[in-house]
Structure formats: C-alpha cells, structure tokens
Amino acid sequence: MENTKFKGWVLLLILLSQGFGAQIVITNKKFSFGTTGRIGAAYSPNADGRTGRQLNLNNQGSLGGRMDQGDYVDFLPAFHFTPVVGGDSTKSTKIDLQTRLSFYSGGTFLGNVDTKSNQGMIIALPEAFVEARNIMGSDWDVWAGSRWLRYDDVHIADYFYFDDHSATGWGVRHKNTRFSMFFPAAIDTAASNSTPYSYTNVISGSKNLIYRQREVFVLEHTIPIKNDNKLKLLAEFHTVNKSGRNSVEQYPSDNGWVLGAKLNTNLKTKLPGSFNQISLRYGSGIANGGDSGNTQTWRTYGAPDEVTNTYKGAYSLTAVEHILLNLSDRWSVNAYAVYTQSKGGAGSDNKATDYYKREIFNKKSEFNTGLRATYYFNNWFHILSELHYASRKDGTQDPASMVKLVLAPTIVPTAERSVWARPHIRLIAEVSRYNDQALNSLYSPFLQQSGAKRFGTYLGVRTEWWIF
C-alpha cells in the first residue's frame, strides 16, 4: 500500500513538473555581448616615482587629448527581441534589454589592483534599461531605466559636448521628436557640484540622510536637411524641491533651463565619412553645468547667491566646432575648438561660499583646441600625431595654459584605413609645456605628482578597443 502511494506521488510530481515546464518557453536566441576598453602601461620619466599621469590641465578632463587617460573596461551584455503579432511582420516591435558593467582604475594600472586595494578598482553599473522601438510597426519608441544617452562627441578629446543626458529616467520618441525625463540626484555629502541633494531628516525622531530629487525635462527635435544634414534643437527645464520642514539643513527650491542648437553637415571628400559639427548651448540657473570635462547640464557650476541661496542669475555658454576630413587613402584630419564661459549664482567674479561652506570659484572661462592627423602608412600601420592647446581662467586669476604634442605609431589589426578602426595598439609619446600660472599652481595631475616643472612627459604602450 505504501509502495503504491509512493508511486502515485512520483507520477504526480512528474506530471506537475511537465506542466510547469510547459509554461516556460525560451524563444529568444538573440543575445549580443559588446565591450569597450582602454588599458596598458605608461610612465612619466620626469615625475616623482615615474608615475604615468595625465598631462592635461585640472578641471578639464580629456580636453587637451585622451591618449593618456586611465584604464577602463566596459562589458555590454544585451538581449534583443522582435515579437511578431499574428504573423504580420509589419507589426513587429524591436525590444532591447541592455546593461553595462564598468571597471575603472582608481589611480594604478587596472590589472594590478582589486576592490580591496587603496585607490584600486571602481565598479559601476551606468546602464540597465529596456527600450522598445517601432512599437507594433508604429513610429513610437519608449525606454526606461538607466543609460548613457549621449550622441556626438569630440572623440580625440573624449568630450560629449551637446546632449549628454546620461542618468536614470525614461523617454518617448515619435519620428524626429524625443521627450525624456531624468532623475540625477544622489545621496552624496561630498558632491562634485554645489547643488546639494542630500539633507538630514528628523521626522521619525532620529537623523536619517535622505535626498531631494532633481527633475530634468528634456525636449529634442531633429530637422532633416538636404543631403542627410541635420539640425538638432534642444530645450531643458530643471527643478529641485526645497528640503523638508523637518530637515536640519534648509535648502530652497530652485530651477533652471537650457536652450541649444547643433548643426551636422556631411562634407564631400575623396573618401566618405567627412563631416562638420557646430553647436551652441546656453544654460541658466541650476542648469548651468558642467565642469571637469563633463557636460551634463545638471552638474551645477559655482556657488549660490549669498542672500537667497539660489542660482538665479547663474549661466553657462558653450560653443563647439568639430570637423573630420578624410582627405585621401593616406591622410585623415580631425580638429576641434571648444569655448565655455560659466558663472554661478553668487555675485562674485572670483570665489564665493557654497552650500558646504567651502570657498570655490564662481566664474570660469575655457578655450581648448586640438588637431589629430592620421597617416595611413599601410592598411595595418597608422601614425597618429596630435597638437593641443588648453587654457582655463578661474575667477580673477591669470589663465593657466598648456600646449601638448603627441606622437603615436599604431598597429591596427583590422587593416582598415579609418579613424574609427579598432582595436588599436599604440606606442604613445607626449610632451607638454605649461605657462607660469599652471606651473606655479600645480594645475595638472602631472604637476601635482611631479612638482612645478615647465615640461611634462608621458610614454606608454596602450590598447583601445570597441567591439559591438
């Protein structure tokens, strides 16, 4: 009798397992795995410890050249679905689920450290989102999650200059018009910008660190022009609520706005792919970011007004010119120029007190220009040469400036005569010259490592790849 009951239970479990298994049908086989990265070894012969440090000016990121940037590796797994409704392929929807896992060096070569090391490995998840395009065969797209939503960049300076909206949010698009909403606030008491999102709440009787949200509304519209040229218009509105009535810190509500235009023009040269890009963007109030090579408008610059504690009257103006000329099967030339002028909400043209009681600069102006010439010695061996000039004026100080010369013989395994061919394996030699203001204020990662020196040097062998 017991044996019969046991057989019955086994049969029931088998039937149930088959029934449940029938509910899970895996039909998706479209999986992609991309990766980007840059890693290698380098040193500066005339720096203390010979540590390879970036030669660019402080607070400018890679404006001035990106060859000496630090190590990073990104992994991009993604699933791709194209469900078809009722056998009608015209009603299919393209669905992408993508994530990005990023690893950065905190100061040492990435391959020599882990998360336990001092200034070791930094891990981030900048992308995790779902996007549905051409929903049911329509002109509508929608997405939600966190993503690097950015477009044209000055590649030789790693500068996404006009419409970098990388943050958590959602968006919809219909044909050439896109509306998005972003929420970039975080709990951070050592904020890189001067608009504090964190405050201490005592509603429950104990102190809890919470954050007030910044809401960013973005409207973008692209106007097609003859010969595949495009004019893109940008409008943003930013608002941040005041801190709660039970908070220890009292921060007022504030807002800001952005307007901009970018023209992309295709140029006819012996080889295809040449273009010219020119843009102008103006941000007001708390939307007057960014700095340190970041261009997100929500990275508010400067200090608030001394009386109102708001950024009313703050502004930032950025103009960019970027051109690529594929002159022949021997030469390509890529050049850029960037001008930025920004001021915070305080009245001072020099320093002012921010929300954290720090004395920070409240006004800046920057000018950067550079050129890369690519000589295609043959299909797989290219010679890259660059010349950059960077200048930055903080407050009423004299401008700090740098001139940098770069030579980088490069092996290109894909044997493609293109500035976009990757992977690269580069031998890099750089020398920079600093003016008195940069030298005396140690206004460079290299100078902070080596001390006041007129010339900076950098030698290295590095690889860079993009595989999608």
Side-chain angles (χ1 to χ4, degrees):
M1 185 66 176
E2 292 294 330
N3 189 39
T4 302
K5 288 183 178 180
F6 176 76
K7 290 181 178 179
W9 280 110
V10 171
L11 180 61
L12 179 60
L13 288 173
I14 292 174
L15 291 173
L16 286 173
S17 65
Q18 290 178 341
F20 286 131
Q23 304 302 313
I24 304 174
V25 180
I26 299 175
T27 59
N28 173 58
K29 297 181 181 180
K30 295 182 179 179
F31 173 78
S32 65
F33 188 84
T35 176
T36 66
R38 178 185 54 252
I39 195 166
Y43 71 103
S44 294
N46 64 333
D48 285 2
R50 296 189 179 179
T51 305
R53 299 298 302 275
Q54 193 168 33
L55 304 181
N56 293 354
L57 297 181
N58 288 340
N59 303 313
Q60 290 198 327
S62 291
L63 281 169
R66 68 194 298 266
M67 291 281 192
D68 49 16
Q69 280 181 318
D71 295 347
Y72 87 94
V73 177
D74 282 356
F75 297 111
L76 294 88
F79 290 94
H80 310 282
F81 303 83
T82 309
V84 176
V85 179
D88 186 353
S89 60
T90 63
K91 294 184 178 180
S92 63
T93 302
K94 298 178 181 179
I95 306 170
D96 296 314
L97 165 59
Q98 179 171 304
T99 60
R100 181 186 296 260
L101 185 60
S102 301
F103 301 85
Y104 301 93
S105 169
T108 316
F109 299 136
L110 189 59
N112 299 342
V113 296
D114 55 32
T115 54
K116 296 180 294 184
S117 304
N118 184 21
Q119 298 183 21
M121 184 183 299
I122 301 168
I123 300 176
L125 187 69
E127 282 196 318
F129 69 93
V130 171
E131 182 176 30
R133 292 175 286 117
N134 304 117
I135 300 174
M136 294 289 290
S138 71
D139 294 318
W140 287 93
D141 302 347
V142 63
W143 69 272
S146 178
R147 64 187 299 185
W148 278 5
L149 190 60
R150 54 192 193 180
Y151 302 93
D152 297 324
D153 73 314
V154 178
H155 170 68
I156 63 175
D158 199 24
Y159 185 69
F160 290 84
Y161 56 89
F162 181 77
D163 42 14
D164 184 354
H165 298 121
S166 304
T168 297
W170 60 269
V172 296
R173 184 178 70 174
H174 183 260
K175 294 184 178 180
N176 295 323
T177 302
R178 181 191 297 270
F179 175 78
S180 308
M181 190 173 180
F182 300 95
F183 304 86
I187 295 178
D188 185 3
T189 56
S192 58
N193 57 67
S194 297
T195 303
Y197 300 124
S198 305
Y199 65 92
T200 309
N201 193 337
V202 291
I203 289 179
S204 62
S206 60
K207 293 184 178 180
N208 296 299
L209 195 63
I210 62 174
Y211 69 94
R212 55 180 183 152
Q213 189 57 268
R214 178 189 286 235
E215 300 165 33
V216 181
F217 304 85
V218 179
L219 182 63
E220 300 164 285
H221 181 68
T222 300
I223 302 173
I225 306 175
K226 188 178 179 181
N227 298 324
D228 289 330
N229 302 321
K230 297 177 181 178
L231 175 64
K232 184 172 185 178
L233 305 177
L234 170 69
E236 300 178 16
F237 177 73
H238 298 219
T239 182
V240 60
N241 196 19
K242 65 181 180 180
S243 54
R245 67 178 65 180
N246 297 292
S247 64
V248 175
E249 303 87 2
Q250 291 294 315
Y251 301 129
S253 61
D254 213 345
N255 55 61
W257 52 266
V258 176
L259 291 175
K262 176 177 64 175
L263 177 64
N264 282 15
T265 305
N266 296 317
L267 302 178
K268 292 183 178 181
T269 51
K270 186 172 182 179
L271 291 182
S274 300
F275 60 78
N276 187 72
Q277 301 167 347
I278 186 169
S279 73
L280 186 66
R281 189 183 75 180
Y282 183 87
S284 176
I286 60 171
N288 75 335
D291 201 12
S292 298
N294 295 300
T295 63
Q296 292 99 337
T297 52
W298 49 265
R299 296 180 181 269
T300 307
Y301 173 81
D305 181 81
E306 299 88 341
V307 178
T308 65
N309 263 347
T310 69
Y311 281 83
K312 184 178 180 180
Y315 68 87
S316 182
L317 174 70
T318 301
V320 176
E321 162 66 20
H322 182 216
I323 188 170
L324 172 65
L325 298 173
N326 294 318
L327 299 175
S328 69
D329 62 355
R330 287 290 183 184
W331 287 98
S332 289
V333 176
N334 191 192
Y336 72 94
V338 178
Y339 175 76
T340 301
Q341 181 171 306
S342 303
K343 186 176 180 181
S348 173
D349 286 339
N350 195 37
K351 287 188 174 182
T353 304
D354 72 356
Y355 282 112
Y356 299 104
K357 309 303 178 184
R358 301 172 300 190
E359 287 291 312
I360 65 172
F361 285 108
N362 191 57
K363 189 175 183 180
K364 69 165 185 177
S365 61
E366 299 175 287
F367 176 71
N368 299 268
T369 186
L371 177 146
R372 173 187 288 180
T374 302
Y375 176 68
Y376 305 108
F377 185 83
N378 58 32
N379 287 345
W380 58 270
F381 184 63
H382 305 170
I383 299 175
L384 312 183
S385 56
E386 296 181 3
L387 179 64
H388 298 270
Y389 171 78
S391 175
R392 176 164 171 135
K393 180 179 176 63
D394 287 317
T396 57
Q397 291 186 350
D398 292 333
S401 67
M402 174 207 72
V403 176
K404 184 165 74 172
L405 179 65
V406 182
L407 183 63
T410 302
I411 295 174
V412 185
T414 59
E416 179 185 2
R417 298 194 186 203
S418 168
V419 297
W420 310 115
R422 293 298 184 277
H424 273 186
I425 300 175
R426 302 168 178 155
L427 173 64
I428 302 167
E430 299 184 351
V431 60
S432 62
R433 186 186 187 279
Y434 303 101
N435 74 344
D436 289 342
Q437 177 64 25
L439 185 153
N440 294 328
S441 61
L442 304 179
Y443 206 77
S444 163
F446 168 82
L447 294 174
Q448 291 176 341
Q449 174 79 22
S450 66
K453 294 184 178 179
R454 180 67 67 186
F455 293 93
T457 59
Y458 181 95
L459 299 173
V461 178
R462 306 183 72 86
T463 183
E464 180 178 81
W465 67 89
W466 314 322
I467 301 173
F468 299 100

